[in-house]
Amino acid sequence: MAVYLAALDQGTTSSRAVIFTGDGQVVSSFNREFPQHYPKPGWVEHDPRDILDTQVASLREAVRLADINPADIAAIGITNQRETTFLWDRKTGESVGNAIVWQCRRTAPMVDELVRGGHGDMIREKTGLVPDAYFSGTKLKWMLDYYNLRDKAEQGDLCFGTADSFLCWNLLEDRPHVTDATNAGRTMLFNLHTQDWDEDLLKLLGIPKACLPRVVDTAGPIGVLDPAILGRRIPVTAMAGDQHASLFGQACLRVGSIKNTYGTGCFMLMNTGDQPVMSRNGLLTTMAWRIGGKPTYALEGSVFMGGATIQWLRDELKIISHASETEALAQSITGTGGVYLVPAFTGLGAPWWDMYSRGTLVGMTRGTGRPQIVRAALEAIAYQSADLMEAMGKDAGHQPEQLQVDGGASANGFLMQFQADISGIPVVRPKVLETTALGAALLAGLGAGVYGSLEETARVWKKDLEFTPKMDEATRLLEMGGWHRAVERSLNWVNH
Ligand code: ADP
């Protein structure tokens, strides 16, 4: 009998379901978008009903497209947009307002206050996170304050959760109120060291423990899918935040292994093993996963303008009409001729952390044209990723041996080769680029006993292409030096 694994990938703009075979081949995949709500400048919300409806519809459609018997799905794994905050009534299931999306900046003043109050170091030390409105903690506090629901929460009549938690409660029989350790680790309420909700942080933010979900392992029995959905009681045996699932789907199981996802932004995670490494270079410390009660940690960093830099070439400069054109344009010349683009459109993140830097194009001559600017834009994605990787290497005490890649822009061969050249290590692209869904499916397979060990899940990962570094060391250092001089020009630009 065939064994299939299903992944629910609840993203920021769409809900997706993917059916895999046990050896990691995609059988079918279906994606449904849902509306974004921007009630005020800087605010972002999702209607919880949309999340549920699109997720159920995509699962049903993926199963229909796969043309399989739901009884042959051995297990389901859930992966999700992280930090987005849901609150609902434990008795009726009714949501309290819309979910507050990770991008929403409404609680920035609350975070400023926490930092002014001298709590920044404690938050950092306990959670591994840089205090920010991005994480769920202040979003939940905002909801409890705004809707005046603290008493109700104290009495245990409300449930807080991220998308994983919300989906489990709504889609599983017996409505378990759970979250996994990777998602819990993004709330700013979870202590990485004790692997539990932190009393001091709960007190600081005025969050009653009674509304928090139980924290479970990333892989392991969670419950069964409500038979009303597919007509079968299918075990749900994994939950993980999207970047963590992708790290797993890239088989980054060894300490020091590292992946970079080239989407709108880039997300880089490095497995640091059974000890959390506290960054001295502005990176986040986060869970890789927790399996069999045993935590594995990771360092995380992101590039704000990854593929978005290419969208800018297309939508604002209008010098390309499709992202895929950039590869041939970049390859039509041998170099940018000393042109560097620093796409600090919204400031720069790790390792620079300068919100006052702005986009900068330097080194132009009379001969600079479209190919040079396009190439400089692609190179900028690689330079920023190289900076992140170096910061991670410094924090972890060793530089990685190779970089596993995925995401939309990893399709660009020029970008991947330049990444290998400028980082001085091989860049490896797998056959299945849907590593987030694959990771959730593999974790589910592990949790359900389809795979007997972590090593067995890693064997499912298959290399497609490897880009080996070809640039000599002197050129590499020269190019990196030029990039860093360009970054310096962009720093501290707008008035503050
Ligand atoms: P997200 O999940 O963030 O929506 P995707 O993984 O779908 O992102 O990747 C989309 C991004 O990748 C876009 O910003 C797009 O500009 C970029 N992109 C897609 N194809 C290419 C390509 N061939 N070369 C460079 N960038 C690309």
Short mmCIF file of all heavy atoms in Angstrom, two decimals, residues 196-255:
data_model
loop_
_atom_site.label_atom_id
_atom_site.label_comp_id
_atom_site.label_asym_id
_atom_site.label_seq_id
_atom_site.Cartn_x
_atom_site.Cartn_y
_atom_site.Cartn_z
N ASP A 196 9.74 26.34 28.43
CA ASP A 196 8.37 26.54 28.91
C ASP A 196 8.04 28.04 28.90
O ASP A 196 8.94 28.88 28.78
CB ASP A 196 8.25 25.98 30.34
CG ASP A 196 6.81 25.64 30.69
OD1 ASP A 196 5.89 25.93 29.88
OD2 ASP A 196 6.59 25.11 31.79
N TRP A 197 6.76 28.35 29.05
CA TRP A 197 6.36 29.75 29.19
C TRP A 197 7.09 30.34 30.39
O TRP A 197 7.29 29.66 31.40
CB TRP A 197 4.84 29.85 29.38
CG TRP A 197 4.07 29.23 28.27
CD1 TRP A 197 3.21 28.17 28.38
CD2 TRP A 197 4.06 29.61 26.89
NE1 TRP A 197 2.68 27.86 27.14
CE2 TRP A 197 3.17 28.73 26.20
CE3 TRP A 197 4.70 30.59 26.15
CZ2 TRP A 197 2.94 28.81 24.83
CZ3 TRP A 197 4.47 30.68 24.78
CH2 TRP A 197 3.60 29.80 24.14
N ASP A 198 7.47 31.59 30.28
CA ASP A 198 8.29 32.20 31.33
C ASP A 198 7.46 33.12 32.22
O ASP A 198 6.88 34.10 31.74
CB ASP A 198 9.42 33.00 30.67
CG ASP A 198 10.41 33.50 31.70
OD1 ASP A 198 10.17 34.59 32.26
OD2 ASP A 198 11.40 32.79 31.95
N GLU A 199 7.43 32.80 33.52
CA GLU A 199 6.58 33.54 34.47
C GLU A 199 6.92 35.04 34.49
O GLU A 199 6.03 35.88 34.54
CB GLU A 199 6.72 32.98 35.89
CG GLU A 199 6.32 31.51 36.06
CD GLU A 199 4.80 31.27 35.99
OE1 GLU A 199 4.04 32.25 35.98
OE2 GLU A 199 4.41 30.07 35.90
N ASP A 200 8.23 35.36 34.44
CA ASP A 200 8.63 36.78 34.50
C ASP A 200 8.12 37.55 33.29
O ASP A 200 7.65 38.67 33.40
CB ASP A 200 10.16 36.91 34.54
CG ASP A 200 10.75 36.31 35.80
OD1 ASP A 200 10.01 36.23 36.81
OD2 ASP A 200 11.92 35.91 35.77
N LEU A 201 8.23 36.91 32.12
CA LEU A 201 7.78 37.58 30.90
C LEU A 201 6.26 37.72 30.88
O LEU A 201 5.72 38.74 30.46
CB LEU A 201 8.26 36.83 29.66
CG LEU A 201 9.78 36.81 29.46
CD1 LEU A 201 10.16 35.86 28.32
CD2 LEU A 201 10.30 38.21 29.15
N LEU A 202 5.56 36.68 31.37
CA LEU A 202 4.10 36.75 31.42
C LEU A 202 3.67 37.90 32.33
O LEU A 202 2.75 38.65 32.01
CB LEU A 202 3.51 35.43 31.93
CG LEU A 202 3.74 34.18 31.06
CD1 LEU A 202 3.04 32.97 31.65
CD2 LEU A 202 3.25 34.42 29.63
N LYS A 203 4.37 38.02 33.45
CA LYS A 203 4.05 39.09 34.40
C LYS A 203 4.34 40.46 33.77
O LYS A 203 3.51 41.38 33.86
CB LYS A 203 4.90 38.91 35.67
CG LYS A 203 4.24 39.44 36.91
CD LYS A 203 4.75 38.76 38.14
CE LYS A 203 5.27 39.83 39.06
NZ LYS A 203 6.24 39.34 40.03
N LEU A 204 5.49 40.56 33.13
CA LEU A 204 5.89 41.82 32.51
C LEU A 204 4.85 42.30 31.49
O LEU A 204 4.55 43.49 31.41
CB LEU A 204 7.25 41.62 31.81
CG LEU A 204 7.91 42.83 31.17
CD1 LEU A 204 8.24 43.88 32.21
CD2 LEU A 204 9.17 42.41 30.42
N LEU A 205 4.28 41.36 30.74
CA LEU A 205 3.32 41.75 29.70
C LEU A 205 1.87 41.60 30.16
O LEU A 205 0.94 41.89 29.40
CB LEU A 205 3.55 40.90 28.43
CG LEU A 205 4.83 41.23 27.67
CD1 LEU A 205 5.09 40.24 26.56
CD2 LEU A 205 4.75 42.63 27.07
N GLY A 206 1.68 41.14 31.38
CA GLY A 206 0.31 40.98 31.90
C GLY A 206 -0.47 39.93 31.13
O GLY A 206 -1.64 40.14 30.78
N ILE A 207 0.17 38.79 30.84
CA ILE A 207 -0.50 37.72 30.09
C ILE A 207 -0.86 36.58 31.05
O ILE A 207 0.02 35.97 31.64
CB ILE A 207 0.42 37.14 28.99
CG1 ILE A 207 1.03 38.23 28.11
CG2 ILE A 207 -0.29 36.04 28.20
CD1 ILE A 207 0.17 38.78 27.04
N PRO A 208 -2.16 36.28 31.22
CA PRO A 208 -2.53 35.15 32.08
C PRO A 208 -2.14 33.82 31.43
O PRO A 208 -2.42 33.59 30.25
CB PRO A 208 -4.06 35.27 32.18
CG PRO A 208 -4.40 36.62 31.65
CD PRO A 208 -3.32 36.99 30.69
N LYS A 209 -1.52 32.97 32.23
CA LYS A 209 -1.03 31.69 31.71
C LYS A 209 -2.19 30.83 31.19
O LYS A 209 -2.01 30.01 30.27
CB LYS A 209 -0.27 30.95 32.81
CG LYS A 209 0.72 29.96 32.29
CD LYS A 209 1.56 29.39 33.42
CE LYS A 209 2.58 28.40 32.85
NZ LYS A 209 3.45 27.89 33.87
N ALA A 210 -3.37 31.05 31.76
CA ALA A 210 -4.53 30.20 31.42
C ALA A 210 -4.94 30.31 29.95
O ALA A 210 -5.67 29.45 29.45
CB ALA A 210 -5.70 30.56 32.31
N CYS A 211 -4.49 31.35 29.25
CA CYS A 211 -4.90 31.46 27.83
C CYS A 211 -3.85 30.89 26.89
O CYS A 211 -4.04 30.89 25.67
CB CYS A 211 -5.24 32.90 27.45
SG CYS A 211 -3.84 34.02 27.38
N LEU A 212 -2.74 30.40 27.44
CA LEU A 212 -1.66 29.93 26.57
C LEU A 212 -1.81 28.45 26.22
O LEU A 212 -2.26 27.65 27.04
CB LEU A 212 -0.30 30.13 27.26
CG LEU A 212 0.05 31.56 27.65
CD1 LEU A 212 1.42 31.60 28.29
CD2 LEU A 212 0.00 32.48 26.44
N PRO A 213 -1.41 28.07 25.02
CA PRO A 213 -1.49 26.65 24.62
C PRO A 213 -0.41 25.82 25.31
O PRO A 213 0.60 26.35 25.78
CB PRO A 213 -1.24 26.70 23.11
CG PRO A 213 -0.51 27.96 22.85
CD PRO A 213 -0.91 28.94 23.93
N ARG A 214 -0.65 24.53 25.35
CA ARG A 214 0.36 23.59 25.86
C ARG A 214 1.43 23.45 24.77
O ARG A 214 1.11 23.35 23.59
CB ARG A 214 -0.32 22.24 26.12
CG ARG A 214 0.53 21.15 26.70
CD ARG A 214 -0.35 20.02 27.23
NE ARG A 214 -1.25 19.49 26.19
CZ ARG A 214 -0.93 18.51 25.33
NH1 ARG A 214 0.24 17.95 25.39
NH2 ARG A 214 -1.81 18.09 24.44
N VAL A 215 2.70 23.47 25.20
CA VAL A 215 3.79 23.40 24.21
C VAL A 215 4.18 21.94 23.99
O VAL A 215 4.56 21.25 24.94
CB VAL A 215 5.01 24.22 24.67
CG1 VAL A 215 6.12 24.17 23.61
CG2 VAL A 215 4.61 25.66 24.96
N VAL A 216 4.06 21.49 22.74
CA VAL A 216 4.38 20.10 22.43
C VAL A 216 5.62 20.04 21.54
O VAL A 216 6.11 21.06 21.05
CB VAL A 216 3.19 19.39 21.73
CG1 VAL A 216 1.96 19.40 22.61
CG2 VAL A 216 2.88 20.04 20.37
N ASP A 217 6.12 18.81 21.34
CA ASP A 217 7.26 18.61 20.45
C ASP A 217 6.87 18.95 19.01
O ASP A 217 5.70 18.88 18.64
CB ASP A 217 7.71 17.15 20.50
CG ASP A 217 8.56 16.86 21.73
OD1 ASP A 217 8.88 17.81 22.48
OD2 ASP A 217 8.91 15.69 21.94
N THR A 218 7.88 19.25 18.21
CA THR A 218 7.67 19.57 16.80
C THR A 218 7.15 18.34 16.04
O THR A 218 6.33 18.46 15.13
CB THR A 218 8.99 20.07 16.20
OG1 THR A 218 9.49 21.11 17.05
CG2 THR A 218 8.83 20.61 14.81
N ALA A 219 7.66 17.17 16.39
CA ALA A 219 7.17 15.92 15.79
C ALA A 219 6.73 14.99 16.89
O ALA A 219 7.41 14.84 17.89
CB ALA A 219 8.26 15.26 14.96
N GLY A 220 5.56 14.39 16.71
CA GLY A 220 5.01 13.48 17.72
C GLY A 220 3.51 13.54 17.65
O GLY A 220 2.95 14.39 16.95
N PRO A 221 2.81 12.64 18.35
CA PRO A 221 1.35 12.61 18.25
C PRO A 221 0.73 13.91 18.79
O PRO A 221 1.10 14.36 19.87
CB PRO A 221 0.96 11.43 19.14
CG PRO A 221 2.22 10.82 19.64
CD PRO A 221 3.37 11.66 19.27
N ILE A 222 -0.15 14.50 18.02
CA ILE A 222 -0.85 15.72 18.46
C ILE A 222 -2.35 15.45 18.53
O ILE A 222 -3.02 15.87 19.46
CB ILE A 222 -0.56 16.89 17.48
CG1 ILE A 222 0.94 17.23 17.51
CG2 ILE A 222 -1.37 18.12 17.87
CD1 ILE A 222 1.41 18.08 16.36
N GLY A 223 -2.87 14.73 17.56
CA GLY A 223 -4.29 14.42 17.53
C GLY A 223 -4.65 13.85 16.17
O GLY A 223 -3.75 13.50 15.39
N VAL A 224 -5.94 13.80 15.88
CA VAL A 224 -6.35 13.32 14.55
C VAL A 224 -7.24 14.36 13.87
O VAL A 224 -7.98 15.08 14.54
CB VAL A 224 -7.10 11.96 14.61
CG1 VAL A 224 -6.18 10.85 15.08
CG2 VAL A 224 -8.33 12.06 15.47
N LEU A 225 -7.13 14.39 12.56
CA LEU A 225 -7.93 15.31 11.77
C LEU A 225 -9.41 14.97 11.94
O LEU A 225 -9.80 13.79 11.88
CB LEU A 225 -7.54 15.19 10.29
CG LEU A 225 -8.10 16.26 9.37
CD1 LEU A 225 -7.38 17.59 9.60
CD2 LEU A 225 -7.94 15.84 7.90
N ASP A 226 -10.21 16.00 12.12
CA ASP A 226 -11.66 15.82 12.22
C ASP A 226 -12.16 15.08 10.97
O ASP A 226 -11.89 15.54 9.85
CB ASP A 226 -12.29 17.22 12.31
CG ASP A 226 -13.77 17.17 12.63
OD1 ASP A 226 -14.43 16.21 12.17
OD2 ASP A 226 -14.25 18.08 13.30
N PRO A 227 -12.86 13.95 11.14
CA PRO A 227 -13.27 13.17 9.95
C PRO A 227 -14.21 13.94 9.02
O PRO A 227 -14.38 13.55 7.87
CB PRO A 227 -13.94 11.93 10.55
CG PRO A 227 -14.20 12.25 11.97
CD PRO A 227 -13.24 13.31 12.39
N ALA A 228 -14.79 15.04 9.52
CA ALA A 228 -15.67 15.84 8.65
C ALA A 228 -14.88 16.45 7.49
O ALA A 228 -15.45 16.83 6.46
CB ALA A 228 -16.32 16.96 9.46
N ILE A 229 -13.54 16.55 7.62
CA ILE A 229 -12.76 17.25 6.59
C ILE A 229 -12.44 16.36 5.39
O ILE A 229 -12.67 16.74 4.25
CB ILE A 229 -11.48 17.87 7.21
CG1 ILE A 229 -11.91 18.91 8.25
CG2 ILE A 229 -10.59 18.50 6.13
CD1 ILE A 229 -10.82 19.45 9.11
N LEU A 230 -11.92 15.15 5.68
CA LEU A 230 -11.59 14.26 4.54
C LEU A 230 -12.30 12.92 4.64
O LEU A 230 -11.99 11.98 3.89
CB LEU A 230 -10.08 14.04 4.47
CG LEU A 230 -9.20 15.21 4.00
CD1 LEU A 230 -7.72 14.82 4.02
CD2 LEU A 230 -9.58 15.70 2.61
N GLY A 231 -13.19 12.80 5.63
CA GLY A 231 -13.91 11.54 5.78
C GLY A 231 -13.09 10.46 6.48
O GLY A 231 -13.49 9.30 6.50
N ARG A 232 -11.93 10.85 7.01
CA ARG A 232 -11.04 9.89 7.66
C ARG A 232 -10.39 10.53 8.88
O ARG A 232 -10.14 11.74 8.88
CB ARG A 232 -9.90 9.51 6.70
CG ARG A 232 -10.29 8.49 5.71
CD ARG A 232 -10.22 7.13 6.36
NE ARG A 232 -10.84 6.12 5.52
CZ ARG A 232 -10.80 4.84 5.79
NH1 ARG A 232 -10.19 4.40 6.87
NH2 ARG A 232 -11.39 3.98 5.01
N ARG A 233 -10.08 9.74 9.87
CA ARG A 233 -9.36 10.27 11.03
C ARG A 233 -7.86 10.09 10.76
O ARG A 233 -7.32 9.02 10.99
CB ARG A 233 -9.79 9.52 12.30
CG ARG A 233 -11.28 9.71 12.62
CD ARG A 233 -11.75 8.82 13.75
NE ARG A 233 -11.35 9.31 15.06
CZ ARG A 233 -10.43 8.73 15.82
NH1 ARG A 233 -9.83 7.64 15.41
NH2 ARG A 233 -10.14 9.24 16.99
N ILE A 234 -7.22 11.14 10.25
CA ILE A 234 -5.80 11.04 9.88
C ILE A 234 -4.95 11.65 11.00
O ILE A 234 -5.24 12.76 11.45
CB ILE A 234 -5.53 11.77 8.54
CG1 ILE A 234 -6.44 11.17 7.45
CG2 ILE A 234 -4.06 11.68 8.15
CD1 ILE A 234 -6.45 11.97 6.17
N PRO A 235 -3.90 10.94 11.44
CA PRO A 235 -3.07 11.49 12.52
C PRO A 235 -2.35 12.78 12.11
O PRO A 235 -1.82 12.87 11.00
CB PRO A 235 -2.03 10.39 12.78
CG PRO A 235 -2.54 9.17 12.11
CD PRO A 235 -3.46 9.61 11.01
N VAL A 236 -2.38 13.76 13.00
CA VAL A 236 -1.59 14.98 12.82
C VAL A 236 -0.39 14.84 13.76
O VAL A 236 -0.57 14.72 14.98
CB VAL A 236 -2.42 16.24 13.15
CG1 VAL A 236 -1.56 17.50 13.06
CG2 VAL A 236 -3.62 16.33 12.21
N THR A 237 0.81 14.79 13.20
CA THR A 237 1.96 14.41 14.01
C THR A 237 3.13 15.38 13.90
O THR A 237 4.25 15.02 14.26
CB THR A 237 2.43 12.99 13.61
OG1 THR A 237 2.61 12.98 12.19
CG2 THR A 237 1.43 11.93 14.00
N ALA A 238 2.88 16.58 13.40
CA ALA A 238 3.96 17.58 13.39
C ALA A 238 3.39 18.98 13.27
O ALA A 238 2.36 19.19 12.63
CB ALA A 238 4.92 17.32 12.23
N MET A 239 4.11 19.91 13.89
CA MET A 239 3.82 21.34 13.75
C MET A 239 5.15 22.06 13.82
O MET A 239 5.97 21.75 14.69
CB MET A 239 3.00 21.84 14.94
CG MET A 239 1.54 21.52 14.88
SD MET A 239 0.67 22.54 16.09
CE MET A 239 1.11 21.73 17.59
N ALA A 240 5.34 23.02 12.92
CA ALA A 240 6.59 23.80 12.96
C ALA A 240 6.39 25.12 12.25
O ALA A 240 5.70 25.19 11.23
CB ALA A 240 7.71 23.02 12.29
N GLY A 241 7.02 26.15 12.75
CA GLY A 241 7.04 27.44 12.04
C GLY A 241 7.69 27.24 10.68
O GLY A 241 8.53 26.33 10.51
N ASP A 242 7.34 28.08 9.70
CA ASP A 242 7.79 27.83 8.31
C ASP A 242 9.31 27.73 8.16
O ASP A 242 9.80 26.81 7.49
CB ASP A 242 7.19 28.86 7.34
CG ASP A 242 7.37 30.30 7.79
OD1 ASP A 242 8.14 30.56 8.74
OD2 ASP A 242 6.74 31.20 7.19
N GLN A 243 10.05 28.64 8.77
CA GLN A 243 11.51 28.61 8.58
C GLN A 243 12.15 27.38 9.22
O GLN A 243 13.17 26.88 8.75
CB GLN A 243 12.15 29.89 9.13
CG GLN A 243 11.72 31.15 8.42
CD GLN A 243 11.86 31.05 6.91
OE1 GLN A 243 12.82 30.48 6.39
NE2 GLN A 243 10.88 31.58 6.20
N HIS A 244 11.54 26.90 10.29
CA HIS A 244 12.07 25.73 10.99
C HIS A 244 11.79 24.48 10.16
O HIS A 244 12.64 23.59 10.03
CB HIS A 244 11.45 25.63 12.38
CG HIS A 244 11.43 26.97 13.08
ND1 HIS A 244 12.45 27.38 13.90
CD2 HIS A 244 10.56 28.01 13.00
CE1 HIS A 244 12.19 28.62 14.31
NE2 HIS A 244 11.04 29.02 13.78
N ALA A 245 10.57 24.43 9.59
CA ALA A 245 10.21 23.30 8.72
C ALA A 245 11.16 23.27 7.52
O ALA A 245 11.61 22.21 7.10
CB ALA A 245 8.77 23.43 8.26
N SER A 246 11.46 24.47 7.00
CA SER A 246 12.34 24.52 5.83
C SER A 246 13.76 24.05 6.18
O SER A 246 14.40 23.35 5.40
CB SER A 246 12.30 25.94 5.27
OG SER A 246 13.49 26.30 4.68
N LEU A 247 14.23 24.40 7.37
CA LEU A 247 15.56 23.92 7.82
C LEU A 247 15.56 22.39 7.87
O LEU A 247 16.51 21.74 7.45
CB LEU A 247 15.87 24.50 9.21
CG LEU A 247 17.28 24.26 9.77
CD1 LEU A 247 18.33 25.04 8.97
CD2 LEU A 247 17.36 24.66 11.25
N PHE A 248 14.45 21.82 8.35
CA PHE A 248 14.32 20.36 8.44
C PHE A 248 14.19 19.76 7.04
O PHE A 248 14.82 18.74 6.72
CB PHE A 248 13.11 19.99 9.30
CG PHE A 248 13.14 18.55 9.76
CD1 PHE A 248 13.82 18.20 10.92
CD2 PHE A 248 12.51 17.56 9.03
CE1 PHE A 248 13.87 16.88 11.35
CE2 PHE A 248 12.54 16.24 9.44
CZ PHE A 248 13.22 15.90 10.61
N GLY A 249 13.41 20.43 6.19
CA GLY A 249 13.20 19.95 4.82
C GLY A 249 14.47 20.02 3.99
O GLY A 249 14.59 19.36 2.96
N GLN A 250 15.43 20.82 4.44
CA GLN A 250 16.74 20.90 3.77
C GLN A 250 17.72 19.92 4.40
O GLN A 250 18.92 19.95 4.08
CB GLN A 250 17.30 22.33 3.89
CG GLN A 250 16.67 23.32 2.94
CD GLN A 250 17.32 23.27 1.56
OE1 GLN A 250 17.97 22.29 1.19
NE2 GLN A 250 17.12 24.33 0.79
N ALA A 251 17.21 19.09 5.31
CA ALA A 251 18.04 18.08 5.98
C ALA A 251 19.24 18.70 6.70
O ALA A 251 20.32 18.11 6.74
CB ALA A 251 18.49 17.02 4.98
N CYS A 252 19.05 19.90 7.24
CA CYS A 252 20.13 20.55 7.99
C CYS A 252 20.14 20.01 9.42
O CYS A 252 19.77 20.72 10.38
CB CYS A 252 19.96 22.06 7.98
SG CYS A 252 20.30 22.80 6.38
N LEU A 253 20.49 18.76 9.56
CA LEU A 253 20.39 18.10 10.86
C LEU A 253 21.69 18.18 11.65
O LEU A 253 21.69 18.02 12.87
CB LEU A 253 20.02 16.62 10.67
CG LEU A 253 18.73 16.35 9.88
CD1 LEU A 253 18.43 14.86 9.83
CD2 LEU A 253 17.54 17.09 10.50
N ARG A 254 22.80 18.43 10.96
CA ARG A 254 24.08 18.48 11.66
C ARG A 254 24.35 19.88 12.19
O ARG A 254 23.93 20.87 11.61
CB ARG A 254 25.22 18.07 10.73
CG ARG A 254 25.29 16.55 10.53
CD ARG A 254 26.46 16.17 9.66
NE ARG A 254 26.47 16.91 8.40
CZ ARG A 254 27.40 17.80 8.06
NH1 ARG A 254 28.40 18.09 8.87
NH2 ARG A 254 27.34 18.42 6.89
N VAL A 255 25.10 19.95 13.30
CA VAL A 255 25.49 21.24 13.85
C VAL A 255 26.31 21.97 12.78
O VAL A 255 27.20 21.37 12.18
CB VAL A 255 26.35 21.04 15.13
CG1 VAL A 255 26.85 22.38 15.65
CG2 VAL A 255 25.55 20.32 16.18
#
